[in-house]
């Protein structure tokens, strides 16, 4: 039997956040991730561990048989999708052959691997960076390659990951306009499971994230690994199984084939948990809160005010006196910010014209926006404004003056009567910055809803880079302004844009039934306070449904709450309900947006349940949304999570007035009875019995730890 003619030449480990990431290089080649997960012993032999990852080699295979590396290369005999594809000056593929020349520590929790190409050591350099966050346990990976002039790179993955042993399930999210974050699941098979967004933005249909899980992994138990690409443009994800059984996961920018000196991958964020799907979600929530903290701190004010958005009340019909009336009513309901949506700029009476002409329409607002802003402020609210900077109508002064600013050929199809501006062009970005900056500098505006209402028909990744450059310039120029990422709702939600935007508009659908599901699934990645959720009109214009005010209000209260209806349509009873729920939300938002969110296993596909628990497990708030009619007669007990099993909790129903008397003709405990007192152990093992619920209803519970009186022995 032949002995292997390769050796482990370099090893490195990172520790932090209750995790270990270990790397190994064979024969000074590209390092591979040989372990990411639970903490390894300090004296663990990483070289032996690396060798233990190598399978035995049979006949008909490349020998030596090297493992998956962070950048798998064809020259090593790797038969799967490569991590990097280069083309020389003549356009033909070049077989890169990288050798490790340097390993450098980056702070206490990071490392950088530098590699040069054996054939072109003076012209090709690959640098791979890894950092393990000590607070979140998230592993951050990225790489960049420098290539000679005239060369190109048609694919550079963020560093490739091996699929951990036993994780047989691939979970990701599809979606559509008004139906984002639809969970789907598949299994491994020989070949690749590929997800691609080709619309120049993150996309409704292809959130750039995937979770691998074992067959038995649930919300609270079992092992899983999740990864997401922090990038706001076209992307590709592939989960590939080779015929020999090895599995890899890759993410990267789609079609980044421009020749230039240095190409960099976006950052790949990776989380591992042995405490179920909630474990990886909670690490992403901690990460998001960490990158949002500087955004919130620089404003030094309440960062999550109750929104009122006027879109579904007036659409393009902007009349100053009508808007003042609506603003007064919204403030009376509890709104803290008034957002003027599409229709305020010159000539904008419908969606066929004026995009690109970011000047106030003096026909609608003869004295500008100041009278409306002053009225909004007099009602105790802040003021926000809608923009769609990346778009242009052909019927606009901008297009007539600069048809060359449009992205793509003149005869391309339009979308929503509009076209896309070339954000890779610095002249376009300078023009847009000047117009938006002028509005923000001359008015008391503290919020921008940034929209993007059509996919691209062509355009390189530089389009997304141009968007991020412009948004970053505006954020730095106006540090007191909150920016929301909206793209026909959830078309641009990712951890790249969320380094600059403090809020996402999860969906254009204000249908509370759709929102109930979407919010639940989006929480696998996105912290609740970042998800905008509005109480829509009684009659939802996107679905045609008519839903009750209690249900609409409580669904919005699960996330960053707002209103988006004509308040003049509300009955006195609806107004009272909305004020009550909004007041409750204001009292509890700090708790909801600092605690740990647990999605609960209800055992019922029509129940979407989740709870937030504080750091000391002293208090929890539980939402149980009933979407449809359950298959069983009685409501199943709902097992909770995250509590102290030894503690005794006093539990009360927050919304007894919403309990259905038809579904609960006789109750063991009446809705307004004294609070129950149950142990954490009982609640987590047996569960809490909720009132029976009818479709399109929400039950809200609150629990607080009882402090036992100390007694002398």
């Amino acid at each position: 039997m032949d002995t292997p003619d390769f050796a482990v030449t370099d090893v490195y480990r990172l520790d932090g956040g209750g995790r270990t990431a270990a790397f190994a290089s064979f024969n000074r080649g590209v390092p591979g991730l040989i372990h990411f997960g639970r903490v390894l012993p300090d004296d663990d032999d990483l070289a032996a561990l690396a060798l233990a990852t190598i399978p035995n080699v049979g006949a008909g295979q490349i020998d030596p048989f090297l493992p998956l590396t962070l950048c798998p290369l064809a020259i090593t005999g790797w038969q799967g999708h490569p991590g990097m594809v280069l083309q020389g000056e003549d356009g033909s593929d070049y077989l890169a052959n990288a050798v490790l020349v340097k390993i450098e520590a980056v702070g206490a929790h990071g490392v950088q691997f530098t590699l040069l190409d054996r054939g072109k050591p003076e012209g090709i350099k690959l640098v791979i960076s890894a950092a393990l966050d000590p607070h979140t346990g998230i592993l951050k990976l990225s790489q960049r390659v420098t290539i000679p002039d005239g060369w190109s790179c048609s694919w550079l993955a963020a560093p490739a990951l091996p699929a951990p042993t036993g994780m047989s399930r691939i979970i990701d999210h599809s979606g559509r306009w008004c139906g984002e974050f639809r969970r789907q699941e598949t299994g491994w098979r020989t070949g690749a499971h590929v997800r691609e967004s080709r619309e120049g933005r993150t996309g409704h249909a292809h959130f750039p994230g995937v979770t691998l899980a074992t067959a038995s992994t649930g919300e609270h138990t079992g092992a899983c690994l999740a990864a997401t690409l922090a990038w706001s443009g076209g992307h590709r994800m592939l989960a590939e199984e080779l015929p020999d059984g090895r599995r890899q996961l890759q993410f990267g920018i789609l079609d980044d084939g421009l020749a230039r000196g240095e190409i960099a991958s976006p950052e790949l964020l990776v989380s591992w948990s042995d405490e179920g799907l909630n474990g990886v979600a909670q690490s992403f929530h901690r990460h998001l809160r960490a990158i949002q903290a500087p955004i919130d701190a620089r404003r030094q004010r309440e960062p999550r005010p109750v929104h009122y958005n006027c879109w579904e009340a007036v659409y393009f019909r902007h009349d100053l006196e009508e808007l003042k009336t609506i603003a007064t009513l919204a403030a009376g309901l509890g709104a803290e910010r008034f957002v003027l949506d599409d229709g305020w700029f010159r000539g904008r009476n419908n969606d066929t014209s004026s995009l690109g002409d970011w000047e106030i329409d003096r026909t609608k607002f003869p004295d500008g926006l100041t009278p409306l802003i002053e009225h909004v402020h007099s009602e105790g609210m802040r003021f926000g404004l809608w923009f769609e900077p990346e778009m242009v109508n052909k019927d606009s002064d901008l297009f007539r003056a600069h048809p060359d600013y449009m992205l793509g050929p003149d005869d391309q199809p339009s979308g929503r009567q509009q076209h896309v501006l070339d954000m890779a062009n610095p002249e376009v970005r300078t023009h847009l910055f000047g117009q938006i900056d002028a509005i923000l500098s001359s008015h008391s505006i503290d919020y921008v809803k940034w929209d993007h209402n059509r996919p691209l028909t062509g355009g390189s990744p530089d389009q997304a880079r141009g968007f991020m450059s412009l948004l970053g310039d505006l954020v730095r120029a106006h540090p007191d302004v909150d920016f929301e990422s909206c793209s026909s709702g959830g078309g641009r939600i990712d951890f790249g844009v969320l380094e600059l935007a403090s809020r996402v508009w999860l969906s254009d659908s204000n249908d509370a039934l759709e929102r109930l599901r979407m919010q639940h699934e989006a929480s696998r990645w996105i912290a609740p306070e970042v998800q905008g959720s509005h109480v829509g009109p009684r009659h939802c214009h996107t679905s045609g449904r008519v839903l009750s005010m209690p249900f609409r209000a409580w669904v919005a209260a699960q996330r960053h709450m707002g209103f988006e209806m004509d308040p003049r349509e509300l009955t006195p009873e609806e107004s009272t309900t909305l004020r009550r729920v909004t007041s409750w939300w204001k009292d509890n938002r700090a708790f909801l947006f600092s605690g740990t969110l647990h999605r609960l296993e209800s055992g019922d596909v029509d129940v979407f349940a989740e709870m937030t628990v504080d750091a000391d497990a002293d208090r929890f708030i539980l939402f149980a949304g009933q979407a449809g009619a359950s298959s069983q007669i009685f409501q199943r007990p709902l097992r909770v999570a995250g509590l102290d099993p030894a503690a005794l909790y006093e539990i009360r129903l927050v919304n007894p007035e919403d309990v259905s008397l038809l579904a609960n003709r006789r109750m063991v405990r009446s809705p307004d009875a004294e609070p129950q007192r149950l142990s954490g152990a009982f609640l987590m093992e047996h569960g809490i019995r909720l009132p029976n619920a009818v479709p399109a209803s929400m039950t809200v519970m609150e629990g607080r730890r009882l402090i036992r009186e100390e007694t002398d022995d």
Side-chain angles (χ1 to χ4, degrees):
M1 181 175 66
D2 294 334
T3 58
D5 57 355
F6 60 90
V8 180
T9 51
D10 298 277
V11 294
Y12 201 91
R13 68 181 283 169
L14 299 172
D15 292 279
R19 305 286 184 263
T20 295
F23 306 88
S25 168
F26 293 83
N27 297 343
R28 296 175 61 223
V30 180
L33 180 66
I34 57 172
H35 171 79
F36 176 54
R38 59 173 50 90
V39 176
L40 296 176
D42 291 340
D43 58 354
D44 211 340
D45 186 340
L46 296 186
L49 191 156
L51 288 172
T53 67
I54 306 299
N56 297 317
V57 179
Q61 293 181 321
I62 299 292
D63 191 9
F65 195 76
L66 298 185
L68 171 73
T69 68
L70 295 169
C71 187
L73 300 173
I75 192 67
T76 66
W78 173 252
Q79 300 297 301
H81 197 287
M84 179 173 66
V85 180
L86 303 180
Q87 291 81 35
E89 288 182 302
D90 62 356
S92 61
D93 285 351
Y94 175 76
L95 286 179
N97 191 4
V99 58
L100 183 64
V101 297
K102 186 188 297 185
I103 303 176
E104 299 172 279
V106 180
H109 301 282
V111 63
Q112 181 172 282
F113 303 100
T114 301
L115 301 101
L116 299 178
D117 187 79
R118 287 183 170 91
K120 290 192 173 292
E122 302 300 321
I124 299 176
K125 181 170 74 171
L126 180 67
V127 177
I128 303 174
S129 299
L132 185 56
D133 191 301
H135 305 293
T136 66
I138 283 181
L139 179 63
K140 305 173 185 178
L141 298 169
S142 63
Q143 60 184 348
R144 67 182 188 271
V145 61
T146 304
I147 56 179
D149 291 341
W151 284 51
S152 63
C153 175
S154 58
W155 174 252
L156 180 68
L161 302 172
T165 301
M167 294 190 182
S168 58
R169 299 157 61 197
I170 304 171
I171 304 168
D172 55 23
H173 287 89
S174 64
R176 58 167 173 79
W177 178 70
C178 285
E180 293 86 340
F181 283 96
R182 294 181 179 273
R183 177 174 169 173
Q184 59 184 24
E185 186 169 325
T186 188
W188 294 91
R189 63 186 184 278
T190 302
H193 170 66
V194 180
R195 300 294 305 276
E196 291 184 346
S197 173
R198 292 186 171 272
E199 56 185 68
R201 57 183 177 178
T202 315
H204 297 80
H206 303 286
F207 176 78
V210 67
T211 301
L212 308 181
T214 70
S216 60
T217 297
E219 298 289 5
H220 315 302
T221 58
C224 52
L225 180 142
T228 182
L229 191 69
W231 169 245
S232 294
H235 58 270
R236 174 187 295 139
M237 182 280 289
L238 62 92
E240 182 182 35
E241 179 174 302
L242 274 63
D244 58 42
R246 290 180 294 172
R247 295 167 173 171
Q248 69 155 335
L249 186 65
Q250 280 191 26
F251 280 88
I253 295 175
L254 192 64
D255 297 333
D256 199 11
L258 298 180
R260 54 182 173 273
E262 184 175 277
I263 302 98
S265 80
E267 198 167 60
L268 185 67
L269 308 175
V270 190
S271 174
W272 176 88
S273 170
D274 60 355
E275 297 179 341
L277 299 170
N278 278 319
V280 292
Q282 289 158 7
S283 66
F284 285 118
H285 293 185
R286 291 192 296 271
H287 170 74
L288 187 51
R289 285 169 176 170
I291 64 176
Q292 292 272 304
I295 299 176
D296 293 341
R298 67 177 179 244
R299 295 180 179 85
Q300 297 183 343
R301 52 175 165 76
E302 170 56 56
R304 309 289 171 189
V306 178
H307 268 53
Y308 174 77
N309 186 295
C310 70
W311 175 243
E312 294 196 27
V314 298
Y315 297 100
F316 297 104
R317 190 187 70 253
H318 285 198
D319 175 82
L320 178 59
E321 294 307 315
E322 184 180 17
L323 289 168
K324 285 182 177 180
T325 298
I326 290 172
T328 297
L329 292 172
L333 294 168
E336 298 167 305
R337 176 184 279 151
F338 181 95
V339 180
L340 188 64
D341 212 285
D342 193 358
W344 59 268
F345 49 99
R346 179 161 44 84
R348 184 68 164 177
N349 298 312
N350 53 51
D351 64 3
T352 66
S353 73
S354 304
L355 280 177
D357 298 340
W358 301 109
E359 297 175 2
I360 298 166
D361 191 326
R362 296 292 171 169
T363 301
K364 298 176 181 178
F365 301 99
D367 299 315
L369 295 178
T370 299
L372 177 59
I373 294 174
E374 289 178 346
H375 178 79
V376 166
H377 288 170
S378 74
E379 295 290 351
M381 295 186 292
R382 304 175 210 160
F383 187 82
L385 197 60
W386 178 94
F387 286 90
E388 193 172 6
E390 298 153 88
M391 300 295 158
V392 66
N393 291 120
K394 286 190 173 181
D395 183 7
S396 66
D397 289 344
L398 177 62
F399 182 81
R400 284 184 282 271
H402 290 286
D404 55 309
Y405 282 5
M406 189 178 82
L407 179 68
D410 187 65
D411 61 351
Q412 65 178 288
S414 67
R416 277 186 41 140
Q417 310 293 325
Q418 63 194 54
H419 291 78
V420 184
L421 293 171
D422 183 2
M423 298 301 292
N425 184 342
E427 291 184 19
V428 173
R429 298 198 301 272
T430 299
H431 170 80
L432 292 172
F433 179 89
Q435 285 202 313
I436 299 170
D437 176 68
I439 296 289
L440 298 181
S441 298
S442 58
H443 296 82
S444 182
I445 296 169
D446 81 337
Y447 168 85
V448 168
K449 178 181 177 181
W450 185 303
D451 217 336
H452 181 294
N453 278 311
R454 62 153 288 175
L456 275 64
T457 50
S460 75
D462 283 338
Q463 181 76 8
R465 296 186 182 103
F467 153 69
M468 292 295 289
S469 175
L470 174 60
L471 178 57
D473 288 344
L474 286 165
V475 167
R476 287 182 285 273
H478 299 278
D480 290 332
V481 176
D482 284 309
F483 287 83
E484 176 185 84
S485 176
C486 174
S487 187
S488 291
R492 188 153 57 195
I493 296 176
D494 55 78
F495 283 89
V497 74
L498 282 170
E499 292 186 8
L500 298 170
S502 58
R503 189 180 196 256
V504 298
W505 185 225
L506 192 64
S507 176
D508 276 346
S509 174
N510 280 319
D511 183 310
L513 276 174
E514 286 288 337
R515 282 271 173 175
L516 182 68
R517 177 197 57 76
M518 282 189 280
Q519 293 172 178
H520 193 74
E521 286 301 315
S523 71
R524 299 188 184 280
W525 305 96
I526 309 300
E529 64 269 27
V530 177
Q531 302 176 35
S533 186
H534 294 174
V535 180
R538 186 183 306 117
H539 183 276
C540 180
H541 86 280
T542 58
S543 69
R545 288 195 184 105
V546 175
L547 297 168
S548 72
M549 176 56 76
F551 183 59
R552 284 181 281 153
W554 283 116
V555 169
Q558 291 184 286
R559 300 297 186 259
H560 184 185
M561 189 177 190
F563 319 145
E564 192 165 345
M565 89 295 278
D566 190 337
R568 295 170 295 186
E569 80 168 25
L570 301 180
T571 66
E573 182 181 10
E574 288 174 328
S575 296
T576 299
T577 297
L578 184 53
R579 278 193 291 269
R580 170 173 55 83
V581 177
T582 303
S583 177
W584 178 91
W585 185 83
K586 289 179 181 179
D587 291 340
N588 290 280
R589 60 185 157 192
F591 175 83
L592 291 170
F593 298 159
S594 62
T596 299
L597 182 71
H598 300 262
R599 287 175 311 280
L600 304 180
E601 295 173 335
S602 67
D604 186 337
V605 296
D606 285 295
V607 174
F608 294 86
E610 57 190 44
M611 64 186 289
T612 301
V613 185
D614 67 357
D616 297 322
D618 288 337
R619 183 186 176 203
F620 68 85
I621 292 175
L622 182 152
F623 292 92
Q626 184 80 31
S630 297
S631 58
Q632 72 280 351
I633 296 174
F634 303 131
Q635 204 80 6
R636 286 196 175 100
L638 193 61
R639 290 193 301 164
V640 304
L643 302 183
D644 180 351
L648 195 63
Y649 291 88
E650 186 174 82
I651 305 161
R652 70 179 184 90
L653 182 62
V654 173
N655 59 333
E657 55 281 321
D658 298 332
V659 171
S660 168
L661 299 181
L662 178 64
N664 298 274
R665 292 196 308 118
R666 177 179 293 179
M667 298 184 68
V668 176
R669 301 178 63 85
S670 65
D672 56 355
E674 288 296 313
Q676 299 182 70
R677 295 185 174 188
L678 300 170
S679 69
F682 180 88
L683 289 167
M684 290 190 289
E685 179 65 25
H686 298 281
I688 184 170
R689 177 75 70 175
L690 304 178
N692 296 328
V694 296
S697 66
M698 181 75 77
T699 302
V700 187
M701 308 289 292
E702 180 180 8
R704 292 179 183 270
R705 182 196 293 259
L706 280 172
I707 305 301
R708 294 185 173 93
E709 294 183 2
E710 295 184 5
T711 58
D712 295 331
D713 293 336

